[in-house]
Amino acid sequence: MTGPAWLAGALAAVMLAMAGYCASRLVAAHRWRRPAERDVDTAHVFMGVAMAGMLVPELNPLASTAWVVIFSLTAAWFGGQVLRGLRGRDPGGHRPAHPLPHLLASGAMLYMLLAATKAGPPAGAPMTMGGGAGDPGHLATLTLLFVLALLVYVVLTTDRLAALRPAAEPASAAEPASPAQAASPAQAASPAQAASPAEAASPGLAATARGAARWFGPRRAQDGRADVAAAAAPDRRPISPRLAACCEIAMGITMGYVLILML
């Protein structure tokens, strides 16, 4: 079974755009020293290019055997992450928070590539995928299991989109104050904000004192060393977590579509 050519072309364009975006995330994370799941982004670059080649064979830059080797390595990598997580070991670095979905995606890619290699390229078809009535029943069952697993992952990822935000995003201004702050507003102010009796008697003097503290406070007294340290410190906010989740959703939908064509 094959789908319409226009849909294959549209999905291939989405996959190439996703691969380009994930490649830019790798460059930005290195240049800006931002936290990122580099192994996930690298795998998504390969997956995007390979999926585009499955949908439109003219876009495929590598042979099927090369893709099989690549996704065997990614499956082994994420499989090792899953095993270390089950054993309670933290390998450090940029380990994905949930490696199991990425193991699923790598396994689905490997399954589709092996099926395509076994079936061979049909003449004139818009994609080189196996499938059809000649496949054994257990292969059709495995295909359906992959489709259902990817569907569940897409639904769960979509559900948590609203909860994803950069780690340093400020809290809402409408957030209620803590009980300690509500009980003692005077104690919530910092020492630099506390006014002396003389400042309370003269608003102009208070404004002058605050301006002097702003320009000649501790940070200026250190000749800008605190500013330099703050500029040199890495930004701990993750890069566009919602866009990264959208890439995973697009990947899951496209994989599910290709797997359905194999039935």
Side-chain angles (χ1 to χ4, degrees), residues 34-255:
R34 296 278 289 275
E37 296 175 347
R38 291 177 172 83
D39 49 358
V40 174
D41 287 329
T42 302
H44 283 175
V45 171
F46 289 128
M47 289 179 186
V49 176
M51 288 296 300
M54 287 183 184
L55 292 163
V56 181
E58 292 79 5
L59 299 176
N60 190 5
L62 298 176
S64 296
T65 52
W67 287 122
V68 168
V69 171
I70 289 173
F71 291 112
S72 296
L73 294 175
T74 61
W77 171 262
F78 291 117
Q81 299 288 350
V82 171
L83 290 178
R84 280 191 285 267
L86 292 175
R87 295 173 181 174
R89 298 178 182 176
D90 185 5
H94 299 278
R95 182 171 64 92
H98 304 286
L100 185 58
H102 306 297
L103 174 61
L104 169 67
S106 298
M109 290 296 304
L110 192 57
Y111 174 72
M112 289 186 289
L113 287 164
L114 290 175
T117 303
K118 181 179 179 181
M127 57 186 305
T128 57
M129 296 303 303
D135 281 354
H138 66 277
L139 289 182
T141 302
L142 183 57
T143 302
L144 284 174
L145 289 177
F146 270 117
V147 172
L148 290 176
L150 289 169
L151 177 62
V152 170
Y153 176 57
V154 166
V155 171
L156 293 177
T157 305
T158 305
D159 183 64
R160 65 184 178 90
L161 271 179
L164 293 175
R165 64 179 183 180
E169 184 174 326
S172 173
E175 183 177 352
S178 63
Q181 291 175 337
S184 179
Q187 294 178 358
S190 63
Q193 294 173 334
S196 65
E199 290 174 349
S202 176
L205 180 61
T208 303
R210 285 194 297 268
R214 183 182 303 114
W215 288 101
F216 303 104
R219 296 184 64 172
R220 292 289 175 175
Q222 295 174 6
D223 295 331
R225 283 175 292 178
D227 293 333
V228 173
D235 192 345
R236 304 313 303 167
R237 294 175 299 169
I239 298 177
S240 303
R242 290 175 183 168
L243 279 178
C246 288
C247 290
E248 296 178 9
I249 292 171
M251 176 65 68
I253 293 174
T254 306
M255 283 186 181

